[in-house]
Amino acid sequence: MIPGTAERKTEKLVVIGAGMASGRVLEHLMTEAPGAFDVTLFNAEPRGNYNRIMLSPVLSGEKTYAEIVTHDDDWYAQQGIDCRFGESIVKIDRANKVVYSNAGGVPYDKLVIATGSAPFIIPVPGKDLPGVVSYRDLDDTNTMIAAARPGAQAVVIGGGLLGLEAAAGLALRGMEVTVIHLMGHLMERQLDPSAGYLLQKALEARGIRIHCKGATKAILGTDRVEAVALEDGTVYGADLVVMAVGIRPETRIATDAHLEVARGITVDDALRTSDPAIWAVGECVEHDKQLFGLVAPLYDQARVVAASLLGHEAAFRPVQTATKLKVTGCDLFSAGDFAEGPGREDIVFRDPGRGVYKRLVIEGDRLIGAVMYGDTADGGWFFGLIKDGTDISAMRDTLIFGPAFQGGPSADPLAAVAALPPEAEICGCNGVCKGKIVSAIEGGATTLDAVRAQTKASSSCGTCTGLVEQVLAVTMGDAFVLPTAQPMCKCTRHTHEDVRRLIKAQGLKSIPAVMQELGWTSVGGCASCRPALNYYLLSDWPLDYTDDRQARFVNERNHANIQKDGTYSVVPRMWGGVTTPDELRAIADAADRYNVPMVKVTGGQRIDLLGVRKEDLPAIWADFNAAGMVSGHAYSKGLRTVKTCVGSEFCRFGTQDSTGLGIRLEKHLWGSWTPAKVKLGVSGCPRNCAEATCKDIGIVCVDSGYQISVAGAAGMDVKETELLCTVATEDEVMEIVSAFVQLYRENSRYLHRIYKFVAKTGLDWCKAQVVADLDNRRALAARFELSQSVYRTDPWAEHAAPRERAKWQPLADLSLEAAE
Ligand SMILES: Cc1cc2nc3c(=O)[nH]c(=O)nc-3n(C[C@H](O)[C@H](O)[C@H](O)COP(=O)(O)OP(=O)(O)OC[C@H]3O[C@@H](n4cnc5c(N)ncnc54)[C@H](O)[C@@H]3O)c2cc1C
Ligand code: SF4
C-alpha cells in the first residue's frame, strides 16, 4: 500500500447485462452507497441502458433513440462504472470467481446476472432468411426502420403486445401490414374475446390486416424473405417478417456455470441464485415458479437486489401487474385474473356507440380482474382495488362506472338501433331501409300500422316488426311506447328477430362482435344465446364465419347422440333410405368390432348403432368412412333423413321414382345447418307409404307431377303438411325445396321447427317468396348452394383423422404407469 493513501475496501461487483433491471439496480446502489462497489458492467449490445419499452415509439417515428436513453456515457463516467459495451460474457468460472468475455477474464466478489430474455423463433423453414427479424432491441428496431418503405409488405407473426406494437409502427411508416396470430383473438393473455374484437376492429380501421387462428407453416424466399405460408393454405407476400411470438429467459451462461435453472435462473426471495455470491434480476429469473415480462416487478426486484448486495435484509414479493398497449388510439387496460372460474362473477358494461367495453371479475367481495377497452380512464383505480384486495361489496352495484360515479346510468337498450346508418336495411322482404322509415315517421306515420302502410316495412313476414318499433321509439322518443317483447335470453334485451336483423344490418360477423355491438350484458353469452348466435352467423355469413364448436349442443359437438348411460349412438347416412349388402356388412362388422349392444332400425329408415363408447367414436367413423358412408347427422340441427317409399321402380301404384327423388334431395340438402332438425318424405303416390304429409317438407308424387307440402309435424305436436305448390318436374322440386329451406334458414328463430316458422310468417308469405317470385326463388336457391359449398362436408371424416383422435380418449390412468 502506498503510504498516506487509505486502503480501498471496495468490493468488485460485475454486472452482466445493461438492461432495464440492472440499470435500476445500479441507480439504487449509486444513490444509497456510492463507492461501495467497484463496478464492471458488461453488455452484449454495443450501448448502455435505454428504455426498451419505448422502442415502439422509436419504430413508429414518434421518438428518437436519444430520447429513450436512460443512462448516458456521462452518467456511467460520473459513477465510475467500467463499461464493457459490445462485449458478451461467455463463461462464469464460479470456483475462481471470474467472468470471461472473448476479450478475457474479469474477477468479481459479487456477480449480478441480468441478461433479460431472448426472443423465441418458431422453427419453421425459412426462419433464417434475410428479412426475418425478431423484436427485442435497438438493432431489431433499426432493421425494421430500414426495411420500411411505403407500399412494401410486412408480416408480423404474433398478435401479442410486441407484435401489435411492431405492426402499428410499421403501418405508420406506410407499410402494408398483416398480423398472423395463432389464437382466436388478439392479446389473448391480456384480453378476453370481446376486448380482443374491439382491438382488432381498431387496428383493421387503420389498414392492418389481422389473421387470427393462423398457424405459420413456412417462410418462403430464395435470397431473402418473399412470403409467409400458413397451414390453412393462405400465403401473404412479405418484404419483411417480424417474429414476435414470445420470449424465453436468457439463461445460457447460468446453465453452463451449473447454477440452478428451471425455466429461468432460480432465485430466492433476496434474488440470490444457488451460488451465494451470484444474484440474478429481471426477465432472466424464475422466482417461486414465476417468470416476469413487464418492468414493474423488475423494478421491485432491482430494489431488493441492491439492498441484498449491500448486506441488508430484503425480500421480493411479486404484485399484480397491469398491461397497456402503446398504440395511439387503442386504449386498452387489463389487470389481475379474468379467467372464468367457479365462484367468480362478472360485471359487464358495453357502449357500442363509443366502442367501450368494461369487464370486472369479482370473487367473493373482492375485485380480482379487470379488462377494459375504449375508456380506460378508471383503470388505475380498479388496479388499486385489485392490488389492495379492497372489500367492494358496498359499491358493487355502481362499481363498473368508476370512482366518480353518482347515481347509475343503465345501458341504453336502443343504442344499437340508434347507431344504425340511414341506409341500413330494416325490412329484408321489402328492402326498406332505416332512413325511409325515419322519413315516414317524420312525415306523420307515428304508429306501426302507419309505417307499414306507407313504407311496407314489416308488412310481409313480420320478423322485423320489433325493429321497426324500435326505429319509431328512437325517432319519436317518449311519444312512442315500445311494446314489451320477449328477449332472446337474459343476456340481452333484443328479441331473436331483432338480433337476426341487426346482424345483417350492421354486418356483424363474430359472436364477440354481436355481443359488443348489441350491448350484451354478459361476458360470453349463455347456453341459450351462444348456439343461436352461432347459427345466425353461420347462416348469414357462410363464407366469412367459422362455426364455433363450443357454441353447439353436445350431440352436435360430438357428431353422435349421447344416450342416458353416457354412451353414444351412431347413425350412418343411407341416402333416401337405400342401402347395399356391402354397407350392411360394414355396419355388422362395426357392430361386432365395437361391441355395439343394440342395432336398431330408426323411424326414418336408417340403422342406429346404440351403446358406442366415446373413445371408440373416431375409429367407428373411420371404418364407416372407409366403407363409403358418411354421418347421418342424426344429432344435428340440419337435414336428418329423407324417407322414401318404393315408388314407380318397383311398386304397382307408383307414379314417379320417389326413391330416386329422395336420394337426390338428400344428397343436395345434407350438411346444411338449419334452425332446427329437418325431415323430408317422398311418397310415390297418394297412398303415401313414406308418410310424407307429416314431415317438415313432404313430396307426394301424382300423375301430373309432384305436390310439395310443408310444415308437418309428428313429434310433441302432430300436424298435417300444407300444400305449397304442385310442379311438373323433379328439377322444379329441387329448386323449390332448396329455396324454401334457405327461406327458413334465413328467417326462422333458432330452434323453431318449420311448422312454427310457417305459423309465424304465414304460408302465403312463403308461397310468395318461393313459388310466385321466380327471381327470389332462384336467389334463395343460389344462396343455399353457396352455403353448401362450405358446409356439405362429413364431420366424421374430419374428426376421425389420427391427429384429432386424442380428444376422444378418456384421461390416462396414471396409477398404472407408477406400477410398471
Ligand atoms: C419492444 C418492446 C416493448 C415493450 N413494452 C413494454 C411495456 O410497455 N411495458 C412493460 O412493462 N414492459 C415492456 N417490455 C418489456 C421490458 O422491456 C422488459 O421486461 C425489460 O426490458 C426486461 O429487463 P431486463 O433488464 O431483464 O432485460 P433487458 O432490458 O432485455 O436487458 C438485458 C440485456 O442483457 C444483455 N445480455 C444478454 N446476454 C448477455 C451476455 N451473455 N453478456 C452480456 N450482456 C448480455 C442484452 O443484450 C440486453 O441488453 C417491452 C419490451 C420490448 C422489446
Ligand atoms: S306410396 Fe304409392 S308408390 Fe309409394 S309404395 Fe306406397 S303405394 Fe307404392
Side-chain angles (χ1 to χ4, degrees):
M1 196 171 72
I2 305 163
T5 59
E7 187 186 357
R8 280 194 75 197
K9 289 290 292 166
T10 45
E11 286 185 290
K12 267 210 79 60
L13 172 68
V14 170
V15 180
I16 309 174
M20 299 190 69
S22 67
R24 199 45 84 92
V25 173
L26 291 175
E27 275 176 27
H28 283 299
L29 288 179
M30 299 305 159
T31 318
E32 286 161 35
F37 292 104
D38 180 0
V39 182
T40 307
L41 176 62
F42 286 91
N43 201 23
E45 287 184 67
R47 56 189 75 85
N49 194 1
Y50 56 91
N51 187 348
R52 196 175 301 277
I53 69 180
M54 296 312 274
L55 284 177
S56 294
V58 172
L59 175 64
S60 62
E62 289 159 278
K63 281 204 184 302
T64 63
Y65 170 64
E67 288 173 289
I68 69 165
V69 170
T70 51
H71 302 99
D72 57 17
D73 292 347
D74 285 351
W75 187 83
Y76 290 117
Q78 277 163 19
Q79 311 305 328
I81 295 171
D82 179 12
C83 296
R84 306 278 288 263
F85 295 153
E87 231 180 285
S88 282
I89 292 302
V90 290
K91 185 179 163 194
I92 304 169
D93 176 353
R94 285 167 52 200
N96 298 303
K97 290 195 170 178
V98 180
V99 295
Y100 288 93
S101 75
N102 288 335
V106 172
Y108 65 84
D109 298 309
K110 289 178 175 168
L111 177 66
V112 174
I113 305 177
T115 46
S117 290
F120 179 65
I121 303 294
I122 37 176
V124 286
K127 67 179 172 44
D128 298 320
L129 281 170
V132 181
V133 288
S134 52
Y135 189 21
R136 182 71 200 169
D137 57 27
L138 182 71
D139 292 342
D140 296 330
T141 311
N142 284 338
T143 309
M144 285 192 249
I145 293 171
R149 281 171 288 105
Q153 295 173 306
V155 171
V156 176
I157 304 175
L161 188 112
L162 285 198
L164 297 182
E165 289 189 5
L170 293 169
L172 274 177
R173 289 189 178 267
M175 293 191 89
E176 280 178 24
V177 183
T178 303
V179 175
I180 294 163
H181 190 50
L182 190 60
M183 308 308 287
H185 69 271
L186 298 174
M187 289 183 70
E188 78 287 346
R189 283 169 59 204
Q190 293 89 4
L191 302 180
D192 63 8
S194 300
Y197 156 74
L198 284 172
L199 174 60
Q200 177 164 345
K201 244 179 57 163
L203 293 170
E204 284 170 345
R206 56 184 69 187
I208 297 173
R209 189 197 283 137
I210 310 283
H211 186 132
C212 285
K213 294 188 187 158
T216 306
K217 188 173 170 197
I219 297 173
L220 312 176
T222 35
D223 299 329
R224 61 171 286 118
V225 59
E226 288 166 20
V228 176
L230 307 191
E231 294 282 0
D232 67 10
T234 316
V235 176
Y236 292 111
D239 303 293
L240 174 74
V241 173
V242 182
M243 191 89 82
V245 291
I247 51 172
R248 280 193 178 158
E250 179 53 81
T251 59
R252 273 172 299 181
I253 47 169
T255 310
D256 292 348
H258 303 294
L259 288 171
E260 210 176 286
V261 175
R263 286 180 302 158
I265 304 169
T266 314
V267 291
D268 62 13
D269 286 355
L271 280 309
R272 248 181 230 241
T273 68
S274 51
D275 180 332
I278 305 179
W279 285 253
V281 64
E283 282 185 351
C284 61
V285 309
E286 178 172 333
H287 174 266
D288 201 13
K289 300 195 168 55
Q290 207 184 329
L291 302 174
F292 305 87
L294 294 174
V295 288
L298 309 190
Y299 285 171
D300 286 343
Q301 290 179 0
R303 190 180 32 77
V304 172
V305 170
S308 183
L309 283 168
L310 292 170
H312 308 314
E313 286 279 312
F316 170 60
R317 297 267 171 268
V319 291
Q320 304 271 6
T321 46
T323 307
K324 282 191 157 208
L325 179 74
K326 297 182 297 301
V327 173
T328 316
C330 294
D331 293 327
L332 66 82
F333 172 90
S334 78
D337 184 353
F338 46 88
E340 285 173 40
R344 293 183 174 184
E345 291 170 88
D346 292 291
I347 301 175
V348 178
F349 172 87
R350 302 181 200 248
D351 182 345
R354 289 191 302 139
V356 171
Y357 168 77
K358 298 183 191 184
R359 174 181 167 208
L360 302 178
V361 184
I362 291 171
E363 199 168 48
D365 294 328
R366 318 275 155 197
L367 180 65
I368 60 161
V371 187
M372 319 192 158
Y373 190 93
D375 174 4
T376 53
D378 298 332
W381 183 70
F382 288 121
F383 187 39
L385 297 180
I386 296 173
K387 274 200 301 193
D388 302 343
T390 311
D391 183 341
I392 49 89
S393 48
M395 51 182 163
R396 198 188 148 112
D397 288 353
T398 54
L399 187 67
I400 194 94
F401 302 112
F405 176 74
Q406 305 290 329
S410 61
D412 180 3
L414 296 175
V417 177
L420 284 179
E423 60 280 6
E425 191 179 75
I426 299 287
C427 173
C429 300
N430 298 296
V432 187
C433 61
K434 178 181 165 187
K436 192 165 171 192
I437 298 172
V438 171
S439 309
I441 298 167
E442 286 167 354
T446 53
T447 64
L448 179 64
D449 284 343
V451 170
R452 264 189 194 146
Q454 277 194 30
T455 66
K456 288 203 164 25
S458 84
S459 64
S460 298
C461 77
T463 53
C464 63
T465 304
L467 216 50
V468 175
E469 284 168 341
Q470 290 187 30
V471 177
L472 275 154
V474 165
T475 316
M476 294 170 59
D478 292 342
F480 183 82
V481 181
L482 203 57
T484 44
Q486 190 65 20
M488 193 165 161
C489 65
K490 62 181 177 8
C491 309
T492 175
R493 291 185 173 86
H494 294 293
T495 64
H496 278 266
E497 289 73 19
D498 293 350
V499 170
R500 287 219 79 168
R501 292 262 169 246
L502 289 165
I503 283 174
K504 281 184 220 165
Q506 295 196 18
L508 306 176
K509 296 188 177 175
S510 68
I511 290 179
V514 174
M515 292 183 176
Q516 175 60 31
E517 301 301 340
L518 306 190
W520 241 243
T521 53
S522 63
V523 181
C526 67
S528 294
C529 61
R530 278 193 75 84
L533 291 182
N534 187 47
Y535 170 72
Y536 295 151
L537 290 162
L538 195 120
S539 144
D540 287 340
W541 316 109
L543 301 186
D544 300 324
Y545 179 72
T546 311
D547 182 30
D548 177 0
R549 256 169 59 83
Q550 294 315 313
R552 290 198 169 279
F553 296 117
V554 59
N555 287 348
E556 289 189 310
R557 275 207 309 276
N558 291 342
H559 305 293
N561 275 329
I562 191 161
Q563 304 295 348
K564 67 179 187 181
D565 64 352
T567 61
Y568 284 80
S569 83
V570 169
V571 188
R573 195 169 280 288
M574 288 176 177
W575 309 103
V578 176
T579 185
T580 64
D582 279 345
E583 285 185 353
L584 290 173
R585 260 188 290 275
I587 290 173
D589 286 347
D592 277 345
R593 194 169 303 129
Y594 301 100
N595 296 319
V596 170
M598 183 187 269
V599 181
K600 188 173 189 315
V601 177
T602 71
Q605 299 176 333
R606 306 299 188 269
I607 293 178
D608 193 352
L609 292 98
L610 289 138
V612 180
R613 293 178 312 158
K614 186 179 179 194
E615 57 268 34
D616 286 337
L617 287 174
I620 199 168
W621 298 338
D623 287 2
F624 285 138
N625 278 174
M629 284 181 276
V630 298
S631 164
H633 287 250
Y635 40 79
S636 69
K637 310 268 173 275
L639 178 78
R640 298 280 174 99
T641 50
V642 182
K643 189 171 178 179
T644 60
C645 74
V646 207
S648 59
E649 212 174 325
F650 287 98
C651 180
R652 287 175 297 136
F653 304 105
T655 57
Q656 319 284 352
D657 177 13
S658 51
T659 310
L661 178 56
I663 293 172
R664 211 177 144 190
L665 279 166
E666 186 161 352
K667 291 203 162 167
H668 190 69
L669 301 177
W670 79 290
S672 64
W673 296 105
T674 45
K677 63 185 171 187
V678 173
K679 295 180 175 182
L680 270 70
V682 187
S683 287
C685 82
R687 285 172 186 77
N688 193 14
C689 293
E691 294 155 345
T693 49
C694 62
K695 300 291 181 207
D696 294 290
I697 303 174
I699 291 116
V700 175
C701 305
V702 290
D703 285 335
S704 57
Y706 306 83
Q707 288 173 349
I708 305 173
S709 59
V710 296
M716 301 266 270
D717 295 321
V718 180
K719 185 180 165 296
E720 193 183 341
T721 50
E722 300 170 59
L723 185 67
L724 189 69
C725 60
T726 303
V727 294
T729 64
E730 264 197 12
D731 285 350
E732 285 171 287
V733 175
M734 298 301 296
E735 189 174 82
I736 287 180
V737 169
S738 19
F740 178 76
V741 170
Q742 184 65 11
L743 189 74
Y744 167 57
R745 297 180 76 230
E746 288 180 4
N747 294 284
S748 173
R749 167 191 283 222
Y750 188 62
L751 297 186
H752 271 190
R753 295 281 299 265
I754 283 182
Y755 73 96
K756 285 195 176 162
F757 162 68
V758 172
K760 201 152 178 232
T761 59
L763 186 66
D764 287 344
W765 178 75
C766 297
K767 282 183 180 170
Q769 299 294 307
V770 299
V771 183
D773 186 341
L774 189 61
D775 288 344
N776 195 45
R777 178 200 307 174
R778 299 242 153 102
L780 282 163
R783 289 204 291 280
F784 179 73
E785 206 36 59
L786 182 82
S787 168
Q788 286 293 73
S789 67
V790 181
Y791 288 106
R792 200 186 275 128
T793 55
D794 177 29
W796 284 0
E798 181 194 339
H799 295 286
R803 68 186 151 79
E804 290 281 312
R805 290 194 182 192
K807 292 181 190 160
W808 307 89
Q809 290 301 317
L811 290 177
D813 181 355
L814 297 175
S815 60
L816 292 177
E817 304 223 336
E820 284 183 358

